[in-house]
Every structure is written in structure tokens, then in C-alpha cells.
Amino acid sequence: MDVLVGREDVLRSAHRFLDVIPHRAAALAIEGEPGMGKTAVWLETVAAAGGRGHRVLQARPAESEAGLAYSVITDLIGGVFDDVRITLPPPQSRALAAALLRSDPEQPIELRAVATAFVTVLLELTAEQPIVVAIDDVQWIDPSSERVLGFVARRLPAGIGLLMALRQDGDKTPSRFVQAVPKDLLERVVLAPLSSPALHHLVQDRIGASVTRPMLARLSAASGGNPLFALEIGRALMAQTPAWAPHDPLPVPSTLQHLVATRVDALSEQARDALLVAATLSRPTATAIGRAVESSGGMAALTEALEADVIVSEHGRIRFTHPLLASAIYGSASARTRTALHQRLADVVDEPEERARHLASGTEIPDARASAELETAATHAAWRGAQDTAADLFAAASRLTPGDACDDHARRSLGQADALNALGEFAAARALAERALNTTRSPNLRTKALSLLANIAWFNGAAGTAIHHAEEALSVTGLDRALRGGIHAQLVRLCFSWDLRSAIEHADLAMKLLREDREPATLAHVLIDRLFGSALRGEAPPGGLLDRALALEVRSLAENDAPHPMPLLWFHCTDEFESARRRFAMEGRWYGERGEEVWVADRLSHLAVAELHAGDWDSAESHVEESCAAVEELAVRGPRAMVFEKRALVDAHRGRIERARTTLRRLIAEYESMDQGWWAALSLSSLAFVEFAASDHRAADAALVRMRALADLVGAVDVLFDRSEPFHIEALLALGEIDRARATLERLEQRGRRLPRPWISVTLPRARALIAAADGDLVTALAELRSTDVESTTTLPFERGWTLLVRGRIERRAKQKSAAATSLRQALDQFQTLGAPLFAERARQELTRVGLRHAASGLTPTELLIARYAARGMTNREVAQAAFVSQKTVEANLAKAYRKLGIHSRAELGSHMAADQGDRPTEPGSSRSRMETPPR
């Protein structure tokens, strides 16, 4: 193309970009000042992509489209949506259909669901061929599309390339979309001014002007190498009469506005009117322009503009040959003319949101009809997840609302506040909600305003303020049963980490007001909160609440209501690991289909804790790292940042003490500064375990004292997430605090009586044994430890290893060296299998204190234990069960033992082991074991 003369370096970058797309994600931004030829380079790259067999999804937004929700997304995938719709999960299909105006949403959708659906569409298309998402004039992308594209840019998969052309605007912050593209994927090329030879070719090829050397020099200087300016000056020269002479001044207007006016002024009045209509419509077509122009002969006017190279027709759409032409034409019209035109277009366009936009621009004084129509359009935009558009339309509706319509003002202000709150613009949302509260006397509107203020305060860490607003809302609700029930339900959530007694009271009141047939989702949430609240308060949870709530939730999920977050927590707190996995599978799918990444990350962190307790530490670590990476990318604070507390807990088990300690101290300081004592308490519980794992018993005790003080403030008697009593007892005994250790044991026993849990059943004998041993009663201590068959315990392997470690210590003190060695080797093997280096080291140290002779073979304790079991004729499976390891671990350790002993068969192994009788493992219940066990 002639305009690409002098752009060879940029085209090389474009071809490199197209080369890599089949292999990895890539992005290319073509930047430059207005008129530099960005669109020409963009078009050439689009054509080259098609020539390579890449599929091109393209959009060319205009300034007039910037207020139309999802207009760019519609241009990009509107043509392929029907082909791929069947492959989308139903929530994504519904969301994208609403965004593209294929259907009206039955209930509000989230923009993230639209964004997730857009990513799914792209992935479906890449299965067939590489995709180029090409967008010209990025600066005119509508806000809703920009948010969707930013979501895509942060997750750009291989096989997709982003091609963008955008205007350089000096110090102005670049597009959020462009900023979202990972820097390692993005190449930015800036179009420099064209050289004199390139300008010569451009002017000669495009307008047929013969340019002399003196004229070229002056043209280059006057245009600054800008192709558009050079062409417009060249056109003016061609039209000049008499012909330009070398000594004459160039026809260079002082501003671009004048330059464009000079070009457009030569057109007829009808053509200028048609061009103004085209510049004002969001999606100008010949039909729409023909309906809107006041004079007859609309098609003739368009033909005139086409012949003057001001506009082009592409697939039924009218486009200006350069976006600056549209901006200049619209800007050159008087304010009165533009107002009248918007009034005219409001009666021409069919799409409700665009009609509303023209109504807003074409109405200068309050108008009840116009404001009502704007409110309807704003509500529709909000339901489509286009909150930016909704906020603008609600603002316009408020502006046009008659002054005496107080409730209308308040309702529209609340609509705008809701939209801004969804966008994270909390200060503006708060101001609007407060204005609505002061404007209306309507109980319903005042309740909604106060409820919104409560939510804003809560998510910004002001729990006390949030509860105050919600309680005030309750005082103004009047007799509306459902509204009162909803506020009580809100107060349950708000009070949960602030005042558990109040939370339970509000739950009981909500349960009386809410109906299963009308508010199943809200009632299900209240029932689950009531269950959790009772347990936290140290009360026996009412029977049947969870089953009833989950049955209600099945109905509400079918209506697209969100699942309650607490059942997954309940399952991992009560060691119901399979239930936790099933619950996560459901919740992860639900949130994932809707693009709720923060919620997916939160859910994944709780699954990580369940896997940690279940003994699958590799999965726990993988889940929690993925969770933290997602939250870190989204810069989430407050309760959602608790995923890092879960990572610290995994770190402590894995021996990464410093990272765990640093993470938790930061979280605790942040939560305490936000007056979020509950979250600080949970983090202190984890910090205590970190300090115990590091053998700093005093620091562990201090953290738990602070944790219990904060839990007391909210009325939590049983902090369900906390499992500190067993190790706190050890820390207190190490500090010589035996009376406090006894009190801690009593609290653990009470927790077990009120709400039995497997982890308490496993750790309680260990805790009692430690107290008995501290009193010098080793017989009772060993009896407690042998009251359960810890060797066969499989559900809580870390607690199994810990109990074996404690048993080995006490057996050593009781001079039962062989039994102690067996217990400690089993503990060591358990900790090694899990990957718990600090606890494995404790087991090794205890083994060295036992004083038994080690085999001369140099086998490790684990290899020795497995070799002796195998030498008895046990199969690998039987050895694995006896040693509580996997068959793969048995095979690996036997192979190592064979190499060290220089043997090749189990027969040889038997003879080697027979020669080493001094350190033989004893089976529980064997005669030797019974002989060494003192009587009770």
C-alpha cells in the first residue's frame, strides 16, 4: 500500500509478531500521533495475518461508540458466537448472549462472567487455527469491552495474538487494556515521521500531485513528516487557483480543525449534514443516516462524501477515512446543533442504550419521561454487567430528574452507587448512597441505601461502621417481611467476625422471617451461618441444619444464586476430606464458569488445608501456591488475603519457617490496623504453629495468648479452624507451665465433647499422655498412648507421626528402648513420607538418644525397618501396611538396602537380618512388646 512507504521497519515487527503466534502468545501495539498512519499499518498486518491462515477477529471503534456497552466485544465475536455457543458452560453462554444483546438476562450477570466466556470462545477458536484479535483506535474502546479485554490480556494463551493501534497522548495514562498485557509478550512500535522521499511517493501516489524538490522540502517541514497533514496540504495545493508557485506560502491551516473544515466545506450542505449524523451515531449505516438526515437525497449526500474520500462503506457500516475527520466534524458543530441532532437521533435509533445516550445529550432541562427512560436503560446495562455504562446512564437520569421527585432522585443515585461499588469506586459510591439517604423518606429506599453503605464499609475494613449502618437499616425497614429478613441475614454476616452472640440472634430472627419457597438462597446461607455460629460459641450445633441448608442450596443454585462459602470450611474443620473435595469441585466449577477468580482462589486455599490434614502435602502445596498467585496478581486485601495464612501453614509443615513467619506477621499487622480482630486471631493460630515448629515455645505461647484474647472479644469459645491445644500443651510443658497445660487439656476435652472431631480423637490421648508424663506417671502416659491403634491410623498421617514421636519419647523414658526405637523409626518414616523436615529431624534426634546399636550395614532407619519386615517374608503390600508407607516407598527402600548390603534376593536379605538381632522391630502385641509394657 502506498501509505506504507517508509514503514518497512514497522512491517518487519508485524511479520515477526505473526510468526510467533502459532507457538506462543504475543501482542503488538502500533503507536503514533494522529495522522501518522497507524491504521494503514494495522490494516496491512491484518491482511498479512489472513494470508498466513490466521483467523482475524477485528474491531475498529470510533469515538461515538465509546459509550455503547460491549460494542468492541460485539464487533470481535458477534459473528462467531452462534457457532461456538454450544461449547460454552451455561452461565457463560447466558452472560455472553446478554452482553451481545442476543437475549435479555433473566437476572443480573457479572462482567467477569462475560470476560470468562470471551476467553472460552477464543480458546475454542484456537483449536482450529491461530487467532489475531485486532483492534484499531484502542483509545475509543468502550469501558465494558476494555475491562473484558484486560481480563483476556492477563491470561493470553498460546495461539492468540493481540494487534492494537493506538494514539499517543503525551503524558496521558495508556489504555488499561494495553497496561494489562504482560510486558514480556508486548512489543510497542512507535511510528516516526516519514522521510522526504517517502512523503514524495505518498503524495504522488495518493493524490497524483507532481511534487517538485522545493515544494517537497517545504511540505516535509510544514507537515512534520505526518502523512495525513502532508496529504491534506497536498490536496489544498492541487485545488489552489492559480497554481502554487515556489515563493507562495503553503496552505497550512493553523489547526487540524481548520484543515478538515477546508476539506469538508467544499461539500454540499446535504453531504455535511449526513457526515455530522455519521459522526454522531455509534454504528452509522447508510440506512440509519438516510433516516436521520433532515433533507431529502440522503443517498446522494453519502455518495458525494464517498467520492470526496471522506468516508468509506465497509460491510454495511459507514466509516470515516480517518477518525480525526469524525472528531473534527462533530467538534465543529455548534452546541445547539449537536443538541438538536441528538434529539433527532433519539427518535431514529432502535437500541435502548444508544437511544438513552442520545436522550441524555439532547435534553438540557429536567424531563420526567427522558429520565425514566434513562433509568430503564441504565438498569438494563447493569444487568448486562456493563457497570461503567450503567453508572453514566444513572447519572444522566439523575441530572434530568425534576427537582421535586425526591424518591426518583434517590433511586437513581442508588443505582449509580451500586454500579460504582461494583467497579470498586467506593468513595464515589458512598457519597451517592449518603446523598440518596438524605434525599428520601421512603423506608425501602432508605433501607437499601443503608444496606449498601454497610457493604461498602465492610469491604473496606470498617466492620463496626458496617454493623451500625445495617442496624439503622433494620430500624427503618417497616413491616416488609422479606426486606427485614434480608437485613437480618446481612447482619449475620457482618457480626460473624465481630460479635457471635449477635450473629446468632440475627440468624434466629432471619430464620423466622425468610421463606423456603421465596428466599431459598438467603435462608440456606442463614442456616449454615447458624450452624457455624453455634459451634464457634461452644454450643452443640442444632441437628439437621446443614442437611436442610444444602437441600435449599441445590434449588437456589439452579436459579444461579452463589453457593455458601462455609460448608467447605466446615468439612475441612471436621476432617471430612472426601466431602471437602466434592464441595470444592462444585464450588470451583461454579465460580470458575463465572470468572470469579478471587473466589476460586479462596476455595482452593481451603481445599489445600483439607489436603494438608489428609496427608497429601504435594497437592496442598500446589493448591495453595496457585491460590496465592491468583490473589497476588489481583492485589486483593482484607479477608480474601487469608489465602496467604493457609500458605504459611503449609510452609511451616514443610519447614519454610522464615517465609511463613514473615507472611503471618504482615497479615496480623494489617488485620489489626483494620480492626479485623477475627482474621488476626486465625493468623495468630497459624503463627503459633510456625513458632512451635521452629522450637520457639515462648513465641508460640505468646501468639496463642493473643489469639485467645481476640477470639474472646467476638465470643468465640471454639475457634473451629484452630488445632493448637495439642502443641500448646507441649510448649507449656517445655516452659514449665504445667498448670496452664492442664487447663489447655481441659479445653481440648471440652471441645471434643461438644463437637467430636477425628483430629481431637487422635490428639487427645497424646495430650493426656504428655500431662501424665510431666507428672512422672509414665505407666498412665503409655496406657493413654496405647489406648488407640495409632499404627493403623490413616486419616490424619501427620498427627499419627506426631503421636508416634511422643510415644517413642515416653517409651525411652520408661527404658523401653526397643519399643521406643520402633515408634521413633515409624514416626521418622511418616515425617519423611509427608515431607516434614523439622519433625523428621526431631525423630532422628530422639532416635540417637535411645542408645540402641545400629546395623553395621549403614542402612537408614527407614531402610532398616522395611528390610526387617521384608526379611520376615512379608509381601511389599504387607510391609507398606505395617510401616504405613506406600508400596512404591517399600520398593525404593528395598532397592537401596540391596545395593548397600550387596545382595540380590530376599533369601540373602533374611540371612543378613538374622545376624543383626539387637535392633529388631517388635510388632504391637508381640510377646516381647507385652513383656516390656509395664502393668497399669
Side-chain angles (χ1 to χ4, degrees):
M1 296 176 63
D2 49 17
V3 78
L4 297 178
V5 172
R7 299 300 187 202
E8 292 78 11
D9 57 337
V10 179
L11 291 176
R12 282 193 291 271
S13 294
H15 287 291
R16 285 197 303 271
F17 159 74
L18 296 174
D19 287 340
V20 303
I21 292 172
H23 312 292
R24 64 173 178 83
L28 177 66
I30 305 163
E31 304 178 38
E33 297 175 355
M36 277 294 182
K38 301 180 295 298
T39 295
V41 175
W42 181 86
L43 286 169
E44 176 65 16
T45 309
V46 165
R52 291 167 182 256
H54 299 350
R55 185 173 208 158
V56 180
L57 307 175
Q58 61 178 295
R60 302 183 64 185
E63 185 176 5
S64 58
E65 293 179 86
L68 199 60
Y70 299 120
S71 62
V72 169
I73 297 303
T74 301
D75 285 345
L76 290 171
I77 61 169
V80 300
F81 175 64
D82 292 332
D83 296 333
V84 299
R85 183 173 187 173
I86 194 172
T87 66
L88 299 176
Q92 295 182 22
S93 177
R94 289 193 296 268
L96 199 50
L100 299 177
L101 293 176
R102 301 297 181 85
S103 63
D104 286 328
E106 296 177 359
Q107 59 188 104
I109 63 170
E110 296 290 338
L111 182 138
R112 297 186 73 82
V114 178
T116 303
F118 186 83
V119 172
T120 305
V121 169
L122 294 181
L123 289 172
E124 286 293 327
L125 295 177
T126 57
E128 302 172 3
Q129 61 195 122
I131 300 295
V132 175
V133 178
I135 305 171
D136 193 12
D137 283 311
V138 164
Q139 69 275 5
W140 300 131
I141 297 177
D142 63 276
S144 301
S145 294
E146 187 175 33
R147 292 180 188 276
V148 170
L149 290 166
F151 182 94
V152 174
R154 289 188 292 271
R155 298 154 184 79
L156 208 58
I160 296 179
L162 296 178
L163 174 64
M164 302 162 284
L166 63 152
R167 183 184 300 176
Q168 282 187 323
D169 286 323
D171 296 332
K172 185 179 177 181
T173 303
S175 163
R176 287 175 298 186
F177 164 40
V178 179
Q179 287 180 306
V181 180
K183 289 183 171 56
D184 59 328
L185 300 181
L186 176 62
E187 181 180 2
R188 305 178 78 147
V189 294
V190 180
L191 300 187
L194 289 181
S195 64
S196 293
L199 285 176
H200 177 271
H201 286 292
L202 174 65
V203 173
Q204 191 169 48
D205 290 346
R206 286 293 296 273
I207 61 178
S210 178
V211 185
T212 63
R213 188 178 297 276
M215 180 189 291
L216 179 62
R218 295 184 65 185
L219 181 63
S220 180
S223 66
N226 185 299
L228 176 65
F229 293 176
L231 286 170
E232 293 301 324
I233 293 170
R235 285 192 178 93
L237 287 172
M238 288 289 290
Q240 188 166 300
T241 303
W244 181 82
H247 59 276
D248 291 339
L250 286 176
V252 182
S254 58
T255 66
L256 179 63
Q257 193 76 39
H258 290 151
L259 186 151
V260 174
T262 300
R263 184 171 174 188
V264 174
D265 283 348
L267 300 175
S268 67
E269 182 179 350
Q270 290 89 343
R272 293 197 301 271
D273 190 20
L275 290 174
L276 179 57
V277 170
T280 309
L281 284 169
S282 294
R283 295 175 176 273
T285 63
T287 302
I289 294 170
R291 290 167 58 193
V293 292
E294 292 182 322
S295 58
S296 59
M299 293 307 297
L302 285 177
T303 300
E304 183 182 352
L306 285 164
E307 291 174 349
D309 199 27
V310 177
I311 58 173
V312 294
S313 178
E314 296 178 350
H315 310 295
R317 289 275 295 276
I318 299 297
R319 297 190 183 279
F320 285 83
T321 53
H322 196 282
L324 291 175
L325 292 171
S327 300
I329 289 169
Y330 185 79
S332 66
S334 67
R336 178 177 295 180
T337 299
R338 289 198 297 263
T339 299
L341 177 58
H342 282 294
Q343 290 174 349
R344 200 189 330 157
L345 292 178
D347 294 328
V348 170
V349 298
D350 298 320
E351 203 279 314
E353 287 176 27
E354 184 172 7
R355 171 175 162 75
R357 187 173 66 84
H358 289 301
L359 274 175
S361 299
T363 310
E364 297 180 336
I365 60 174
D367 184 305
R369 183 188 63 81
S371 60
E373 192 164 343
L374 281 163
E375 181 182 7
T376 300
T379 302
H380 186 255
W383 274 51
R384 293 171 63 210
Q387 301 295 351
D388 295 274
T389 299
D392 289 343
L393 291 172
F394 274 121
S398 293
R399 177 177 60 82
L400 295 178
T401 301
D404 58 350
C406 296
D407 288 353
D408 290 342
H409 268 294
R411 189 177 60 255
R412 289 155 191 169
S413 293
L414 282 175
Q416 186 182 0
D418 272 325
L420 293 174
N421 182 51
L423 296 171
E425 297 181 26
F426 301 120
R430 185 188 303 113
L432 284 162
E434 289 172 347
R435 186 172 77 185
L437 185 63
N438 295 327
T439 299
T440 181
R441 301 265 58 89
S442 162
N444 279 9
L445 291 175
R446 289 178 62 80
T447 299
K448 290 177 182 177
L450 287 162
S451 178
L452 176 57
L453 286 169
N455 283 335
I456 293 171
W458 172 256
F459 282 108
N460 284 275
T465 302
I467 291 171
H468 171 74
H469 285 313
E471 288 175 341
E472 189 178 353
L474 197 59
S475 70
V476 301
T477 53
L479 300 177
D480 188 315
R481 176 197 55 77
L483 198 57
R484 290 184 65 81
I487 297 298
H488 279 300
Q490 182 182 26
L491 277 162
V492 175
R493 296 190 297 273
L494 297 178
C495 291
F496 215 83
S497 59
W498 190 261
D499 180 355
L500 279 169
R501 181 183 58 79
S502 295
I504 291 174
E505 289 175 356
H506 285 297
D508 289 338
L509 290 168
M511 288 161 60
K512 293 176 181 177
L513 292 167
L514 298 170
R515 296 180 181 173
E516 290 189 5
D517 57 337
R518 295 187 180 180
E519 300 94 18
T522 306
L523 180 55
H525 283 218
V526 170
L527 292 170
I528 294 169
D529 287 339
R530 181 66 171 84
L531 170 74
F532 235 97
S534 298
L536 289 168
R537 285 278 293 168
E539 303 166 1
L545 281 185
L546 185 59
D547 290 340
R548 182 186 171 197
L550 294 180
L552 280 173
E553 190 185 64
V554 170
R555 288 170 47 193
S556 66
L557 288 174
E559 298 173 5
N560 210 34
D561 290 305
H564 195 292
M566 300 303 269
L568 175 56
L569 281 64
W570 180 267
F571 292 139
H572 84 61
C573 286
T574 55
D575 298 330
E576 298 173 69
F577 302 129
E578 279 306 315
S579 295
R581 293 179 185 118
R582 288 193 297 271
R583 181 72 186 185
F584 171 78
M586 182 276 286
E587 292 187 19
R589 182 172 58 253
W590 197 95
Y591 288 114
E593 288 176 349
R594 290 156 180 80
E596 297 289 348
E597 293 172 290
V598 174
W599 272 107
V600 173
D602 178 86
R603 306 288 81 197
L604 196 58
S605 74
H606 288 290
L607 178 65
V609 176
E611 297 295 4
L612 180 72
H613 295 319
D616 189 349
W617 286 15
D618 289 339
S619 292
E621 189 162 5
S622 173
H623 293 334
V624 82
E625 291 292 351
E626 182 182 343
S627 173
C628 288
V631 168
E632 205 160 32
E633 179 183 336
L634 297 168
V636 174
R637 297 177 68 247
R640 291 286 170 267
M642 281 295 285
V643 299
F644 292 99
E645 178 261 340
K646 312 294 190 301
R647 188 185 71 181
L649 193 61
V650 174
D651 280 347
H653 284 77
R654 287 293 204 189
R656 293 185 287 266
I657 296 298
E658 282 311 309
R659 184 170 81 158
R661 186 182 281 142
T662 300
T663 296
L664 290 167
R665 286 175 176 171
R666 175 181 59 79
L667 285 176
I668 292 163
E670 179 179 327
Y671 291 136
E672 289 184 334
S673 70
M674 297 170 63
D675 200 20
Q676 293 278 3
W678 174 251
W679 308 111
L682 299 185
S683 298
L684 281 163
S685 171
S686 294
L687 179 62
F689 180 79
V690 171
E691 300 296 2
F692 178 82
S695 298
D696 190 338
H697 302 301
R698 196 164 299 282
D701 177 46
L704 288 172
V705 168
R706 287 175 65 196
M707 184 271 287
R708 303 221 176 270
L710 290 172
D712 288 344
L713 287 177
V714 301
V717 175
D718 185 337
V719 181
L720 295 177
F721 309 94
D722 171 67
R723 303 185 179 208
S724 63
E725 284 92 355
F727 70 80
H728 195 195
I729 288 169
E730 287 194 47
L732 289 169
L733 292 175
L735 296 171
E737 300 268 9
I738 190 166
D739 289 339
R740 290 181 59 205
R742 287 194 182 95
T744 303
L745 171 61
E746 184 179 350
R747 183 169 58 246
L748 180 62
E749 290 173 334
Q750 289 173 349
R751 292 180 70 183
R753 285 194 294 270
R754 286 190 296 257
L755 179 62
R757 280 151 280 182
W759 74 266
I760 294 179
S761 299
V762 170
T763 62
L764 196 52
R766 183 173 86 221
R768 289 170 176 156
L770 285 166
I771 298 291
D775 287 332
D777 187 352
L778 300 184
V779 172
T780 298
L782 287 173
E784 286 286 356
L785 288 167
R786 291 167 179 164
S787 64
T788 57
D789 186 6
V790 69
E791 287 87 348
S792 63
T793 301
T794 59
T795 55
L796 296 161
F798 181 69
E799 297 297 350
R800 172 188 183 275
W802 199 337
T803 300
L804 287 166
L805 174 61
V806 169
R807 190 175 79 180
R809 287 174 181 163
I810 296 175
E811 287 169 337
R812 178 184 59 78
R813 286 181 58 190
K815 310 301 183 185
Q816 300 177 22
K817 291 187 176 183
S818 181
T822 298
S823 295
L824 292 171
R825 286 183 186 123
Q826 289 177 318
L828 174 61
D829 184 67
Q830 184 68 82
F831 292 139
Q832 287 178 325
T833 300
L834 288 170
L838 295 179
F839 288 85
E841 182 57 30
R842 291 183 187 186
R844 286 192 196 93
Q845 291 174 358
E846 291 292 338
L847 267 172
T848 62
R849 300 175 67 186
V850 170
L852 287 177
R853 177 177 61 83
H854 289 286
S857 61
L859 300 184
T860 66
T862 301
E863 292 165 355
L864 188 62
L865 180 67
I866 288 174
R868 285 176 174 158
Y869 279 131
R872 297 182 183 184
M874 297 169 69
T875 65
N876 285 359
R877 182 176 181 179
E878 290 169 338
V879 173
Q881 291 175 340
F884 200 77
V885 296
S886 67
Q887 286 186 237
K888 187 175 292 186
T889 299
V890 171
E891 293 164 3
N893 279 277
L894 280 177
K896 292 176 185 176
Y898 281 12
R899 285 197 302 272
K900 290 180 179 180
L901 297 173
I903 60 177
H904 301 87
S905 69
R906 290 205 177 200
E908 294 176 273
L909 180 64
S911 61
H912 272 272
M913 294 297 103
D916 182 23
Q917 295 296 320
D919 201 17
R920 183 187 301 271
T922 28
E923 297 277 43
S926 69
S927 59
R928 183 175 177 184
S929 175
R930 287 193 296 270
M931 287 170 58
E932 291 184 350
T933 302
R936 294 179 69 86

Short mmCIF file of all heavy atoms in Angstrom, two decimals, residues 219-244:
data_model
loop_
_atom_site.label_atom_id
_atom_site.label_comp_id
_atom_site.label_asym_id
_atom_site.label_seq_id
_atom_site.Cartn_x
_atom_site.Cartn_y
_atom_site.Cartn_z
N LEU A 219 6.96 21.07 2.09
CA LEU A 219 5.89 20.18 2.51
C LEU A 219 6.33 19.32 3.70
O LEU A 219 5.59 19.12 4.67
CB LEU A 219 5.46 19.28 1.34
CG LEU A 219 4.31 18.29 1.61
CD1 LEU A 219 3.04 19.04 1.94
CD2 LEU A 219 4.11 17.38 0.40
N SER A 220 7.56 18.80 3.63
CA SER A 220 8.09 17.98 4.71
C SER A 220 8.21 18.78 6.00
O SER A 220 7.84 18.32 7.07
CB SER A 220 9.46 17.41 4.31
OG SER A 220 9.99 16.62 5.34
N ALA A 221 8.69 20.02 5.88
CA ALA A 221 8.84 20.86 7.06
C ALA A 221 7.49 21.25 7.63
O ALA A 221 7.28 21.23 8.86
CB ALA A 221 9.66 22.09 6.72
N ALA A 222 6.54 21.61 6.75
CA ALA A 222 5.24 22.07 7.22
C ALA A 222 4.43 20.95 7.86
O ALA A 222 3.72 21.15 8.85
CB ALA A 222 4.45 22.66 6.06
N SER A 223 4.52 19.73 7.32
CA SER A 223 3.74 18.62 7.85
C SER A 223 4.43 17.90 8.99
O SER A 223 3.79 17.10 9.70
CB SER A 223 3.45 17.60 6.74
OG SER A 223 4.66 16.99 6.31
N GLY A 224 5.72 18.14 9.18
CA GLY A 224 6.46 17.43 10.21
C GLY A 224 6.58 15.95 9.92
O GLY A 224 6.78 15.15 10.83
N GLY A 225 6.47 15.57 8.65
CA GLY A 225 6.54 14.15 8.30
C GLY A 225 5.27 13.39 8.60
O GLY A 225 5.25 12.16 8.51
N ASN A 226 4.18 14.10 8.95
CA ASN A 226 2.90 13.46 9.26
C ASN A 226 2.16 13.16 7.95
O ASN A 226 1.83 14.09 7.20
CB ASN A 226 2.06 14.38 10.14
CG ASN A 226 0.77 13.73 10.61
OD1 ASN A 226 -0.07 13.36 9.81
ND2 ASN A 226 0.61 13.63 11.91
N PRO A 227 1.90 11.90 7.63
CA PRO A 227 1.28 11.57 6.35
C PRO A 227 -0.07 12.25 6.12
O PRO A 227 -0.34 12.75 5.03
CB PRO A 227 1.12 10.05 6.40
CG PRO A 227 2.12 9.60 7.40
CD PRO A 227 2.21 10.69 8.41
N LEU A 228 -0.94 12.28 7.13
CA LEU A 228 -2.25 12.89 6.96
C LEU A 228 -2.12 14.38 6.66
O LEU A 228 -2.76 14.89 5.74
CB LEU A 228 -3.10 12.69 8.22
CG LEU A 228 -4.47 13.37 8.19
CD1 LEU A 228 -5.36 12.75 7.12
CD2 LEU A 228 -5.15 13.28 9.55
N PHE A 229 -1.27 15.08 7.43
CA PHE A 229 -1.11 16.51 7.20
C PHE A 229 -0.55 16.75 5.81
O PHE A 229 -0.98 17.66 5.08
CB PHE A 229 -0.17 17.11 8.24
CG PHE A 229 -0.73 17.11 9.64
CD1 PHE A 229 0.04 17.55 10.70
CD2 PHE A 229 -2.02 16.67 9.90
CE1 PHE A 229 -0.47 17.55 11.99
CE2 PHE A 229 -2.53 16.67 11.17
CZ PHE A 229 -1.75 17.10 12.23
N ALA A 230 0.43 15.92 5.41
CA ALA A 230 1.04 16.10 4.10
C ALA A 230 0.01 15.92 2.98
O ALA A 230 -0.02 16.68 2.02
CB ALA A 230 2.20 15.12 3.93
N LEU A 231 -0.85 14.91 3.10
CA LEU A 231 -1.86 14.67 2.08
C LEU A 231 -2.88 15.81 2.02
O LEU A 231 -3.29 16.24 0.93
CB LEU A 231 -2.57 13.35 2.36
CG LEU A 231 -1.77 12.07 2.06
CD1 LEU A 231 -2.49 10.86 2.60
CD2 LEU A 231 -1.52 11.93 0.56
N GLU A 232 -3.32 16.31 3.18
CA GLU A 232 -4.30 17.39 3.19
C GLU A 232 -3.72 18.68 2.61
O GLU A 232 -4.39 19.41 1.86
CB GLU A 232 -4.82 17.62 4.61
CG GLU A 232 -5.64 16.48 5.17
CD GLU A 232 -6.85 16.18 4.32
OE1 GLU A 232 -7.46 17.11 3.77
OE2 GLU A 232 -7.19 14.98 4.16
N ILE A 233 -2.45 18.95 2.94
CA ILE A 233 -1.80 20.14 2.35
C ILE A 233 -1.66 19.94 0.85
O ILE A 233 -1.89 20.87 0.05
CB ILE A 233 -0.43 20.36 3.02
CG1 ILE A 233 -0.61 20.75 4.49
CG2 ILE A 233 0.34 21.45 2.29
CD1 ILE A 233 0.68 20.75 5.28
N GLY A 234 -1.32 18.70 0.44
CA GLY A 234 -1.19 18.42 -1.00
C GLY A 234 -2.51 18.61 -1.72
O GLY A 234 -2.56 19.16 -2.82
N ARG A 235 -3.63 18.17 -1.11
CA ARG A 235 -4.94 18.36 -1.73
C ARG A 235 -5.25 19.86 -1.86
O ARG A 235 -5.82 20.30 -2.86
CB ARG A 235 -6.01 17.67 -0.89
CG ARG A 235 -6.03 16.15 -1.01
CD ARG A 235 -7.29 15.57 -0.38
NE ARG A 235 -7.33 14.12 -0.55
CZ ARG A 235 -6.88 13.26 0.33
NH1 ARG A 235 -6.36 13.70 1.46
NH2 ARG A 235 -6.94 11.95 0.11
N ALA A 236 -4.94 20.61 -0.81
CA ALA A 236 -5.18 22.05 -0.88
C ALA A 236 -4.37 22.69 -1.98
O ALA A 236 -4.84 23.61 -2.69
CB ALA A 236 -4.87 22.68 0.48
N LEU A 237 -3.14 22.23 -2.16
CA LEU A 237 -2.30 22.76 -3.25
C LEU A 237 -2.89 22.45 -4.61
O LEU A 237 -2.89 23.29 -5.51
CB LEU A 237 -0.89 22.17 -3.14
CG LEU A 237 -0.01 22.69 -1.99
CD1 LEU A 237 1.27 21.87 -1.90
CD2 LEU A 237 0.33 24.17 -2.22
N MET A 238 -3.41 21.21 -4.75
CA MET A 238 -3.98 20.82 -6.04
C MET A 238 -5.20 21.66 -6.37
O MET A 238 -5.48 21.96 -7.55
CB MET A 238 -4.38 19.35 -5.98
CG MET A 238 -3.20 18.38 -5.97
SD MET A 238 -2.36 18.33 -7.56
CE MET A 238 -3.59 17.50 -8.54
N ALA A 239 -5.97 22.04 -5.34
CA ALA A 239 -7.19 22.80 -5.58
C ALA A 239 -6.94 24.30 -5.71
O ALA A 239 -7.86 25.06 -6.03
CB ALA A 239 -8.18 22.54 -4.44
N GLN A 240 -5.73 24.72 -5.43
CA GLN A 240 -5.43 26.16 -5.39
C GLN A 240 -5.41 26.75 -6.79
O GLN A 240 -4.85 26.16 -7.72
CB GLN A 240 -4.08 26.38 -4.71
CG GLN A 240 -3.77 27.85 -4.45
CD GLN A 240 -2.60 28.00 -3.50
OE1 GLN A 240 -2.67 27.54 -2.37
NE2 GLN A 240 -1.54 28.63 -3.97
N THR A 241 -6.05 27.88 -6.93
CA THR A 241 -6.04 28.62 -8.21
C THR A 241 -5.65 30.08 -7.91
O THR A 241 -6.29 30.71 -7.05
CB THR A 241 -7.42 28.57 -8.87
OG1 THR A 241 -7.81 27.20 -9.04
CG2 THR A 241 -7.40 29.25 -10.21
N PRO A 242 -4.68 30.63 -8.63
CA PRO A 242 -3.82 29.94 -9.61
C PRO A 242 -2.89 28.95 -8.93
O PRO A 242 -2.83 28.90 -7.71
CB PRO A 242 -3.06 31.10 -10.23
CG PRO A 242 -2.97 32.12 -9.14
CD PRO A 242 -4.27 32.04 -8.41
N ALA A 243 -2.20 28.15 -9.71
CA ALA A 243 -1.32 27.11 -9.19
C ALA A 243 -0.26 27.70 -8.27
O ALA A 243 0.18 28.84 -8.46
CB ALA A 243 -0.67 26.37 -10.36
N TRP A 244 0.11 26.87 -7.30
CA TRP A 244 1.10 27.30 -6.30
C TRP A 244 2.44 27.54 -6.95
O TRP A 244 2.89 26.76 -7.80
CB TRP A 244 1.20 26.23 -5.22
CG TRP A 244 2.17 26.56 -4.12
CD1 TRP A 244 1.94 27.35 -3.05
CD2 TRP A 244 3.53 26.10 -4.01
NE1 TRP A 244 3.05 27.42 -2.26
CE2 TRP A 244 4.06 26.66 -2.83
CE3 TRP A 244 4.33 25.27 -4.81
CZ2 TRP A 244 5.36 26.41 -2.41
CZ3 TRP A 244 5.63 25.04 -4.38
CH2 TRP A 244 6.13 25.59 -3.20
#
